Amino acid sequence: MEHFYQTFCLEVEGEFACFTRPEMKVERVSYDVITPSAARGIFESILWKPSLSWQIKKIEVLNPIRWTSIRRNEVGSYMSHRSDGVYIEDSRQQRAGLLLRDVRYRIHAELRFNPDKGESRQDENPGKYNAMFERRAKKGQCFNQPYLGCREFSCRFTLIETTNKDEPQPIPEDKDLGFMLYDMQFPKPDDKDQEIHPAFYRPRMKQGVIEVPDWTSEEVYR
C-alpha cells in the first residue's frame, strides 16, 4: 500500500495569488491560504494521467499572510462561433480584487495509482509514475505553467526531497480559516445528476501547518 501512495513535497512561491471565494462573484476576494484544489492543480501540471490522482495531505504556510488590492480590466462577455465577435471597448469591465502577495507554501501530496483507470498496458505500474514525477519535478518540467489560483499568477516550484534545519519553518500562527472550497465533485457517467458540485471543508492552521483531510473523509462537506 505504501508503494501505491508515495508522498511528494513541493515548495511553491509567487508574487501574487488569488484563491477566489465562490461567494464573491463580482469582486475577486481570495481565501487566506491556498485551497486543496489549487494545490492539486500544481501537482497535476507536472504529471497527470487518467490512472493517477493526487491527494493533498498537508500545507505549510512559510510566509506571513499579506494582502494587497488591485484594480484591473476584464472582458465581461464570451466569444463563440455563433457571435459576430467581441468588441472589447464595449465589454470592458473594471473589477477590484483583494489578493495575497509574496506567498510561499510547502505542499505534501500523495500520488495515487489506480490500475482500473486509463490505458491497460503491461508497463503500467506505480513505480514508473513515481520515478517520472520525481524526474520531471527535479528538472522543473511541467505540461503547463503552474499558477496560484489564477493563470496570470504563475508560480515557481521546487521538489523537496529531505527537510532539514536550514529549510524555512512555517509561520508561528494559529488560525481558524472558516469554511473553504476543497474541490469540485464531478459526476460519473452513470449518475442521474450530471451537475458539478463544490465540496467544502473547515481548515484550522496550527503553527502554520494545515492538515488536509482525505477526499472521502466526513470532514469534507458536499
Side-chain angles (χ1 to χ4, degrees), residues 141-153:
Q141 295 176 327
C142 50
F143 293 111
N144 53 66
Q145 181 63 42
Y147 55 91
L148 297 166
C150 296
R151 287 189 180 275
E152 57 265 45
F153 303 140

Side-chain angles (χ1 to χ4, degrees), residues 54 67 95 120 215 217 221:
W54 288 98
W67 299 90
R95 299 279 179 83
S120 177
W215 171 250
S217 169
Y221 303 93

Side-chain angles (χ1 to χ4, degrees), residues 64-220:
I65 300 173
R66 300 190 182 99
W67 299 90
T68 188
S69 59
I70 64 170
R71 191 172 291 276
R72 57 185 177 178
N73 294 322
E74 299 182 2
V75 177
S77 61
Y78 295 98
M79 186 171 71
S80 70
H81 64 280
R82 292 173 294 184
S83 69
D84 297 329
V86 174
Y87 187 56
I88 293 178
E89 293 300 327
D90 293 339
S91 303
R92 179 174 293 164
Q93 298 176 346
Q94 198 168 57
R95 299 279 179 83
L98 185 60
L99 317 177
L100 298 170
R101 64 181 178 90
D102 299 328
V103 301
R104 192 177 186 183
Y105 305 109
R106 203 156 46 221
I107 306 170
H108 303 256
E110 282 182 348
L111 176 57
R112 298 185 173 182
F113 175 71
N114 187 344
D116 297 329
K117 295 183 178 179
E119 300 178 3
S120 177
R121 294 172 49 179
Q122 292 183 347
D123 62 342
E124 290 279 300
N125 63 80
K128 165 186 168 182
Y129 291 116
N130 291 336
M132 188 182 296
F133 177 81
E134 188 173 344
R135 183 175 63 252
R136 291 179 60 82
K138 280 182 179 178
K139 293 181 178 180
Q141 295 176 327
C142 50
F143 293 111
N144 53 66
Q145 181 63 42
Y147 55 91
L148 297 166
C150 296
R151 287 189 180 275
E152 57 265 45
F153 303 140
S154 60
C155 68
R156 301 175 290 278
F157 66 89
T158 306
L159 177 67
I160 305 298
E161 299 181 80
T162 56
T163 56
N164 52 54
K165 295 181 180 178
D166 297 332
E167 296 289 338
Q169 298 301 309
I171 59 175
E173 183 177 340
D174 296 342
K175 190 172 185 180
D176 184 348
L177 299 169
F179 282 96
M180 177 183 289
L181 179 69
Y182 187 102
D183 213 323
M184 305 301 290
Q185 184 172 16
F186 293 90
K188 298 177 181 178
D190 55 348
D191 287 345
K192 292 183 179 179
D193 184 4
Q194 289 295 309
E195 295 292 328
I196 302 172
H197 297 284
F200 296 86
Y201 82 124
R202 186 166 188 174
R204 292 175 174 82
M205 183 171 66
K206 296 181 179 178
Q207 294 299 296
V209 179
I210 302 167
E211 299 289 345
V212 181
D214 198 276
W215 171 250
T216 57
S217 169
E218 293 182 352
E219 297 179 52
V220 179

